Short mmCIF file of all heavy atoms in Angstrom, two decimals:
data_model
loop_
_atom_site.label_atom_id
_atom_site.label_comp_id
_atom_site.label_asym_id
_atom_site.label_seq_id
_atom_site.Cartn_x
_atom_site.Cartn_y
_atom_site.Cartn_z
N ARG A 300 10.03 17.47 -0.90
CA ARG A 300 8.90 18.37 -0.78
C ARG A 300 7.63 17.61 -0.41
O ARG A 300 6.84 18.06 0.43
CB ARG A 300 8.67 19.12 -2.10
CG ARG A 300 7.47 20.04 -1.99
CD ARG A 300 7.20 20.84 -3.23
NE ARG A 300 5.96 21.59 -3.07
CZ ARG A 300 5.41 22.30 -4.02
NH1 ARG A 300 5.97 22.38 -5.20
NH2 ARG A 300 4.28 22.96 -3.80
N ILE A 301 7.44 16.45 -1.04
CA ILE A 301 6.28 15.62 -0.69
C ILE A 301 6.32 15.23 0.78
O ILE A 301 5.31 15.28 1.48
CB ILE A 301 6.25 14.36 -1.58
CG1 ILE A 301 5.94 14.74 -3.04
CG2 ILE A 301 5.22 13.35 -1.07
CD1 ILE A 301 6.05 13.58 -4.00
N ALA A 302 7.53 14.88 1.26
CA ALA A 302 7.67 14.46 2.65
C ALA A 302 7.30 15.58 3.62
O ALA A 302 6.76 15.33 4.70
CB ALA A 302 9.11 14.02 2.92
N GLY A 303 7.56 16.83 3.22
CA GLY A 303 7.30 17.93 4.12
C GLY A 303 5.90 18.48 4.09
O GLY A 303 5.53 19.28 4.96
N ASP A 304 5.10 18.07 3.13
CA ASP A 304 3.72 18.56 3.02
C ASP A 304 2.76 17.42 3.37
O ASP A 304 2.68 16.45 2.64
CB ASP A 304 3.46 19.06 1.60
CG ASP A 304 2.12 19.78 1.47
OD1 ASP A 304 1.12 19.25 2.00
OD2 ASP A 304 2.08 20.85 0.84
N PRO A 305 2.04 17.50 4.49
CA PRO A 305 1.17 16.39 4.90
C PRO A 305 0.17 15.96 3.84
O PRO A 305 -0.10 14.76 3.69
CB PRO A 305 0.45 16.96 6.13
CG PRO A 305 1.37 18.01 6.66
CD PRO A 305 2.02 18.62 5.45
N ARG A 306 -0.36 16.92 3.09
CA ARG A 306 -1.35 16.57 2.06
C ARG A 306 -0.70 15.79 0.92
O ARG A 306 -1.21 14.74 0.50
CB ARG A 306 -1.99 17.85 1.52
CG ARG A 306 -3.07 17.61 0.48
CD ARG A 306 -3.71 18.90 0.04
NE ARG A 306 -2.71 19.85 -0.43
CZ ARG A 306 -2.86 20.58 -1.54
NH1 ARG A 306 -3.94 20.47 -2.26
NH2 ARG A 306 -1.92 21.43 -1.91
N LEU A 307 0.45 16.27 0.43
CA LEU A 307 1.16 15.57 -0.63
C LEU A 307 1.64 14.21 -0.15
O LEU A 307 1.60 13.22 -0.88
CB LEU A 307 2.34 16.39 -1.11
CG LEU A 307 2.04 17.74 -1.75
CD1 LEU A 307 3.33 18.43 -2.16
CD2 LEU A 307 1.12 17.59 -2.95
N ARG A 308 2.07 14.17 1.10
CA ARG A 308 2.58 12.92 1.68
C ARG A 308 1.48 11.85 1.70
O ARG A 308 1.72 10.69 1.31
CB ARG A 308 3.08 13.20 3.09
CG ARG A 308 3.81 12.04 3.76
CD ARG A 308 4.15 12.41 5.20
NE ARG A 308 5.01 11.41 5.79
CZ ARG A 308 6.31 11.50 5.93
NH1 ARG A 308 6.95 12.58 5.48
NH2 ARG A 308 7.00 10.54 6.49
N GLU A 309 0.32 12.21 2.14
CA GLU A 309 -0.80 11.26 2.21
C GLU A 309 -1.15 10.74 0.82
O GLU A 309 -1.39 9.54 0.63
CB GLU A 309 -2.01 11.93 2.85
CG GLU A 309 -3.22 11.01 2.98
CD GLU A 309 -4.42 11.71 3.58
OE1 GLU A 309 -4.30 12.91 3.93
OE2 GLU A 309 -5.48 11.07 3.72
N MET A 310 -1.18 11.64 -0.16
CA MET A 310 -1.52 11.24 -1.53
C MET A 310 -0.46 10.32 -2.10
O MET A 310 -0.76 9.32 -2.76
CB MET A 310 -1.68 12.49 -2.41
CG MET A 310 -2.90 13.32 -2.06
SD MET A 310 -2.89 14.92 -2.90
CE MET A 310 -2.91 14.40 -4.60
N ASP A 311 0.82 10.63 -1.86
CA ASP A 311 1.90 9.81 -2.39
C ASP A 311 1.88 8.40 -1.81
O ASP A 311 2.05 7.41 -2.53
CB ASP A 311 3.25 10.48 -2.07
CG ASP A 311 4.43 9.66 -2.55
OD1 ASP A 311 4.80 9.79 -3.73
OD2 ASP A 311 4.97 8.87 -1.75
N VAL A 312 1.67 8.30 -0.51
CA VAL A 312 1.61 6.98 0.13
C VAL A 312 0.46 6.16 -0.44
O VAL A 312 0.60 4.96 -0.70
CB VAL A 312 1.48 7.13 1.66
CG1 VAL A 312 1.20 5.78 2.31
CG2 VAL A 312 2.75 7.74 2.24
N LYS A 313 -0.67 6.80 -0.66
CA LYS A 313 -1.83 6.11 -1.22
C LYS A 313 -1.54 5.58 -2.62
O LYS A 313 -1.88 4.44 -2.97
CB LYS A 313 -3.03 7.05 -1.25
CG LYS A 313 -4.34 6.41 -1.70
CD LYS A 313 -5.47 7.42 -1.55
CE LYS A 313 -6.80 6.78 -1.96
NZ LYS A 313 -6.82 6.49 -3.41
N VAL A 314 -0.89 6.40 -3.44
CA VAL A 314 -0.52 5.97 -4.80
C VAL A 314 0.43 4.78 -4.74
O VAL A 314 0.29 3.81 -5.48
CB VAL A 314 0.12 7.14 -5.58
CG1 VAL A 314 0.76 6.63 -6.87
CG2 VAL A 314 -0.94 8.19 -5.91
N TYR A 315 1.40 4.83 -3.82
CA TYR A 315 2.37 3.74 -3.72
C TYR A 315 1.69 2.44 -3.30
O TYR A 315 1.94 1.37 -3.88
CB TYR A 315 3.46 4.11 -2.71
CG TYR A 315 4.49 3.02 -2.51
CD1 TYR A 315 5.51 2.83 -3.44
CD2 TYR A 315 4.42 2.15 -1.42
CE1 TYR A 315 6.44 1.82 -3.27
CE2 TYR A 315 5.35 1.13 -1.24
CZ TYR A 315 6.36 0.98 -2.18
OH TYR A 315 7.27 -0.03 -2.02
N VAL A 316 0.83 2.51 -2.29
CA VAL A 316 0.15 1.30 -1.80
C VAL A 316 -0.72 0.70 -2.90
O VAL A 316 -0.73 -0.53 -3.11
CB VAL A 316 -0.69 1.62 -0.55
CG1 VAL A 316 -1.56 0.43 -0.16
CG2 VAL A 316 0.22 2.00 0.62
N ASP A 317 -1.46 1.54 -3.62
CA ASP A 317 -2.30 1.03 -4.71
C ASP A 317 -1.45 0.41 -5.81
O ASP A 317 -1.83 -0.60 -6.41
CB ASP A 317 -3.16 2.17 -5.29
CG ASP A 317 -4.35 2.51 -4.40
OD1 ASP A 317 -4.66 1.71 -3.50
OD2 ASP A 317 -4.96 3.56 -4.61
N GLY A 318 -0.30 0.99 -6.07
CA GLY A 318 0.60 0.42 -7.08
C GLY A 318 1.11 -0.95 -6.68
O GLY A 318 1.22 -1.86 -7.51
N GLN A 319 1.42 -1.14 -5.39
CA GLN A 319 1.86 -2.44 -4.90
C GLN A 319 0.74 -3.47 -4.97
O GLN A 319 0.97 -4.65 -5.28
CB GLN A 319 2.37 -2.32 -3.46
CG GLN A 319 3.62 -1.46 -3.31
CD GLN A 319 4.81 -2.01 -4.06
OE1 GLN A 319 5.05 -1.65 -5.20
NE2 GLN A 319 5.55 -2.89 -3.41
N LYS A 320 -0.48 -3.03 -4.69
CA LYS A 320 -1.63 -3.94 -4.83
C LYS A 320 -1.74 -4.43 -6.26
O LYS A 320 -2.00 -5.62 -6.52
CB LYS A 320 -2.91 -3.21 -4.45
CG LYS A 320 -3.15 -3.03 -2.97
CD LYS A 320 -4.50 -2.34 -2.77
CE LYS A 320 -4.82 -2.10 -1.31
NZ LYS A 320 -6.11 -1.41 -1.14
N LEU A 321 -1.59 -3.53 -7.20
CA LEU A 321 -1.71 -3.89 -8.61
C LEU A 321 -0.58 -4.81 -9.04
O LEU A 321 -0.78 -5.79 -9.75
CB LEU A 321 -1.72 -2.61 -9.46
CG LEU A 321 -2.07 -2.75 -10.94
CD1 LEU A 321 -3.49 -3.27 -11.11
CD2 LEU A 321 -1.91 -1.41 -11.65
N LYS A 322 0.62 -4.50 -8.57
CA LYS A 322 1.80 -5.28 -8.96
C LYS A 322 1.76 -6.70 -8.42
O LYS A 322 2.10 -7.66 -9.13
CB LYS A 322 3.06 -4.56 -8.46
CG LYS A 322 4.36 -5.26 -8.81
CD LYS A 322 5.54 -4.46 -8.30
CE LYS A 322 6.87 -5.15 -8.62
NZ LYS A 322 8.04 -4.37 -8.12
N PHE A 323 1.34 -6.85 -7.16
CA PHE A 323 1.41 -8.16 -6.51
C PHE A 323 0.04 -8.79 -6.30
O PHE A 323 -0.07 -9.78 -5.57
CB PHE A 323 2.12 -8.04 -5.16
CG PHE A 323 3.55 -7.61 -5.26
CD1 PHE A 323 3.98 -6.42 -4.69
CD2 PHE A 323 4.48 -8.38 -5.93
CE1 PHE A 323 5.31 -6.02 -4.77
CE2 PHE A 323 5.81 -7.99 -6.02
CZ PHE A 323 6.22 -6.80 -5.45
N GLY A 324 -1.00 -8.23 -6.92
CA GLY A 324 -2.36 -8.72 -6.69
C GLY A 324 -2.52 -10.20 -6.98
O GLY A 324 -3.13 -10.94 -6.19
N ALA A 325 -1.97 -10.67 -8.11
CA ALA A 325 -2.12 -12.08 -8.49
C ALA A 325 -1.43 -12.99 -7.48
O ALA A 325 -1.98 -14.01 -7.06
CB ALA A 325 -1.56 -12.31 -9.89
N ALA A 326 -0.20 -12.63 -7.08
CA ALA A 326 0.54 -13.46 -6.12
C ALA A 326 -0.17 -13.49 -4.76
O ALA A 326 -0.26 -14.54 -4.12
CB ALA A 326 1.96 -12.94 -5.97
N LEU A 327 -0.67 -12.35 -4.33
CA LEU A 327 -1.37 -12.29 -3.04
C LEU A 327 -2.64 -13.13 -3.07
O LEU A 327 -2.98 -13.79 -2.08
CB LEU A 327 -1.71 -10.83 -2.71
CG LEU A 327 -0.53 -9.92 -2.37
CD1 LEU A 327 -0.97 -8.47 -2.31
CD2 LEU A 327 0.14 -10.35 -1.07
N ALA A 328 -3.35 -13.11 -4.20
CA ALA A 328 -4.57 -13.91 -4.32
C ALA A 328 -4.27 -15.40 -4.20
O ALA A 328 -5.02 -16.15 -3.57
CB ALA A 328 -5.27 -13.61 -5.64
N ARG A 329 -3.16 -15.84 -4.77
CA ARG A 329 -2.81 -17.27 -4.71
C ARG A 329 -2.39 -17.69 -3.31
O ARG A 329 -2.45 -18.88 -2.98
CB ARG A 329 -1.72 -17.58 -5.73
CG ARG A 329 -2.21 -17.64 -7.17
CD ARG A 329 -1.15 -18.19 -8.10
NE ARG A 329 -0.06 -17.24 -8.27
CZ ARG A 329 -0.05 -16.25 -9.15
NH1 ARG A 329 -1.10 -16.07 -9.93
NH2 ARG A 329 0.98 -15.45 -9.27
N LEU A 330 -1.94 -16.76 -2.48
CA LEU A 330 -1.55 -17.11 -1.12
C LEU A 330 -2.76 -17.34 -0.22
O LEU A 330 -2.62 -17.91 0.86
CB LEU A 330 -0.68 -16.00 -0.52
CG LEU A 330 0.71 -15.81 -1.12
CD1 LEU A 330 1.44 -14.68 -0.40
CD2 LEU A 330 1.52 -17.08 -1.07
N GLY A 331 -3.93 -16.89 -0.65
CA GLY A 331 -5.14 -17.10 0.14
C GLY A 331 -5.14 -16.33 1.45
O GLY A 331 -5.56 -16.86 2.49
N LEU A 332 -4.68 -15.08 1.42
CA LEU A 332 -4.61 -14.29 2.65
C LEU A 332 -6.00 -13.88 3.12
O LEU A 332 -6.92 -13.71 2.32
CB LEU A 332 -3.78 -13.03 2.41
CG LEU A 332 -2.33 -13.22 1.95
CD1 LEU A 332 -1.65 -11.87 1.78
CD2 LEU A 332 -1.56 -14.09 2.95
N THR A 333 -6.14 -13.71 4.40
CA THR A 333 -7.39 -13.20 4.97
C THR A 333 -7.46 -11.70 4.73
O THR A 333 -6.44 -11.05 4.45
CB THR A 333 -7.44 -13.46 6.49
OG1 THR A 333 -6.40 -12.70 7.12
CG2 THR A 333 -7.25 -14.94 6.80
N PRO A 334 -8.66 -11.10 4.85
CA PRO A 334 -8.76 -9.63 4.70
C PRO A 334 -7.84 -8.89 5.67
O PRO A 334 -7.27 -7.85 5.33
CB PRO A 334 -10.23 -9.36 5.00
CG PRO A 334 -10.94 -10.62 4.61
CD PRO A 334 -9.99 -11.72 4.98
N GLU A 335 -7.68 -9.43 6.89
CA GLU A 335 -6.81 -8.78 7.87
C GLU A 335 -5.35 -8.83 7.41
O GLU A 335 -4.60 -7.85 7.57
CB GLU A 335 -6.93 -9.48 9.23
CG GLU A 335 -8.27 -9.28 9.93
CD GLU A 335 -9.38 -10.14 9.33
OE1 GLU A 335 -9.06 -11.08 8.55
OE2 GLU A 335 -10.56 -9.88 9.63
N GLN A 336 -4.95 -9.97 6.81
CA GLN A 336 -3.58 -10.08 6.31
C GLN A 336 -3.35 -9.16 5.11
O GLN A 336 -2.27 -8.57 4.98
CB GLN A 336 -3.28 -11.53 5.93
CG GLN A 336 -3.12 -12.46 7.12
CD GLN A 336 -2.97 -13.90 6.69
OE1 GLN A 336 -3.72 -14.41 5.86
NE2 GLN A 336 -1.97 -14.57 7.26
N ARG A 337 -4.35 -9.04 4.26
CA ARG A 337 -4.23 -8.13 3.12
C ARG A 337 -4.07 -6.69 3.60
O ARG A 337 -3.27 -5.92 3.06
CB ARG A 337 -5.46 -8.25 2.21
CG ARG A 337 -5.59 -9.57 1.47
CD ARG A 337 -4.50 -9.73 0.43
NE ARG A 337 -4.63 -8.77 -0.65
CZ ARG A 337 -5.25 -9.02 -1.80
NH1 ARG A 337 -5.81 -10.20 -2.00
NH2 ARG A 337 -5.32 -8.11 -2.74
N GLN A 338 -4.82 -6.33 4.65
CA GLN A 338 -4.70 -4.99 5.21
C GLN A 338 -3.32 -4.78 5.82
O GLN A 338 -2.72 -3.70 5.68
CB GLN A 338 -5.79 -4.76 6.25
CG GLN A 338 -5.76 -3.36 6.88
CD GLN A 338 -5.93 -2.27 5.86
OE1 GLN A 338 -6.88 -2.27 5.09
NE2 GLN A 338 -5.01 -1.31 5.84
N LYS A 339 -2.81 -5.81 6.49
CA LYS A 339 -1.47 -5.72 7.09
C LYS A 339 -0.43 -5.53 5.99
O LYS A 339 0.54 -4.77 6.17
CB LYS A 339 -1.18 -6.98 7.90
CG LYS A 339 0.21 -7.01 8.53
CD LYS A 339 0.46 -5.86 9.48
CE LYS A 339 1.82 -5.95 10.13
NZ LYS A 339 2.13 -4.79 11.00
N PHE A 340 -0.59 -6.23 4.87
CA PHE A 340 0.34 -6.06 3.75
C PHE A 340 0.33 -4.61 3.27
O PHE A 340 1.38 -4.02 3.02
CB PHE A 340 -0.04 -7.01 2.61
CG PHE A 340 0.84 -6.88 1.39
CD1 PHE A 340 2.07 -7.50 1.34
CD2 PHE A 340 0.44 -6.12 0.30
CE1 PHE A 340 2.91 -7.37 0.23
CE2 PHE A 340 1.25 -5.99 -0.81
CZ PHE A 340 2.48 -6.62 -0.85
N ASP A 341 -0.87 -4.04 3.14
CA ASP A 341 -0.98 -2.63 2.75
C ASP A 341 -0.28 -1.72 3.75
O ASP A 341 0.38 -0.75 3.38
CB ASP A 341 -2.45 -2.23 2.60
CG ASP A 341 -3.13 -2.90 1.42
OD1 ASP A 341 -2.42 -3.49 0.59
OD2 ASP A 341 -4.38 -2.85 1.35
N ASP A 342 -0.45 -2.04 5.04
CA ASP A 342 0.18 -1.23 6.09
C ASP A 342 1.71 -1.28 5.99
O ASP A 342 2.39 -0.27 6.21
CB ASP A 342 -0.27 -1.71 7.47
CG ASP A 342 -1.75 -1.48 7.73
OD1 ASP A 342 -2.35 -0.64 7.02
OD2 ASP A 342 -2.30 -2.12 8.64
N ILE A 343 2.23 -2.46 5.66
CA ILE A 343 3.68 -2.61 5.50
C ILE A 343 4.19 -1.74 4.35
O ILE A 343 5.22 -1.07 4.45
CB ILE A 343 4.06 -4.09 5.27
CG1 ILE A 343 3.82 -4.91 6.54
CG2 ILE A 343 5.52 -4.23 4.83
CD1 ILE A 343 3.97 -6.41 6.35
N GLN A 344 3.44 -1.74 3.25
CA GLN A 344 3.83 -0.92 2.09
C GLN A 344 3.76 0.56 2.42
O GLN A 344 4.63 1.35 2.04
CB GLN A 344 2.95 -1.24 0.89
CG GLN A 344 2.84 -2.70 0.52
CD GLN A 344 4.18 -3.40 0.47
OE1 GLN A 344 5.11 -2.95 -0.18
NE2 GLN A 344 4.29 -4.52 1.18
N ALA A 345 2.72 0.95 3.15
CA ALA A 345 2.57 2.36 3.53
C ALA A 345 3.71 2.79 4.45
O ALA A 345 4.27 3.89 4.30
CB ALA A 345 1.22 2.58 4.23
N GLU A 346 4.06 1.93 5.39
CA GLU A 346 5.16 2.23 6.31
C GLU A 346 6.48 2.39 5.55
O GLU A 346 7.28 3.28 5.84
CB GLU A 346 5.28 1.12 7.36
CG GLU A 346 6.36 1.37 8.39
CD GLU A 346 6.47 0.23 9.40
OE1 GLU A 346 5.81 -0.81 9.19
OE2 GLU A 346 7.22 0.39 10.38
#
């Protein structure tokens, strides 16, 4: 149902991406990624 409703879909993807940020935030910080790389990581999770 979420997949079929654009509004629910957008909200679900946002929740998932934020959850991945929280889960891997410490590891990502230690890698010293650039802002562009951090954004790309978010894009991978959203995809």
Side-chain angles (χ1 to χ4, degrees):
R300 179 179 175 185
I301 291 173
D304 189 315
R306 182 177 55 136
L307 297 179
R308 188 185 188 100
E309 181 181 359
M310 291 169 61
D311 178 85
V312 171
K313 185 174 182 293
V314 168
Y315 178 79
V316 172
D317 283 346
Q319 295 298 93
K320 283 182 181 179
L321 190 63
K322 181 178 179 180
F323 296 118
L327 291 170
R329 285 190 289 275
L330 292 181
L332 301 181
T333 65
E335 291 76 14
Q336 288 174 312
R337 292 292 294 265
Q338 181 59 54
K339 178 60 178 176
F340 178 81
D341 292 348
D342 294 341
I343 291 172
Q344 308 313 308
E346 182 181 8

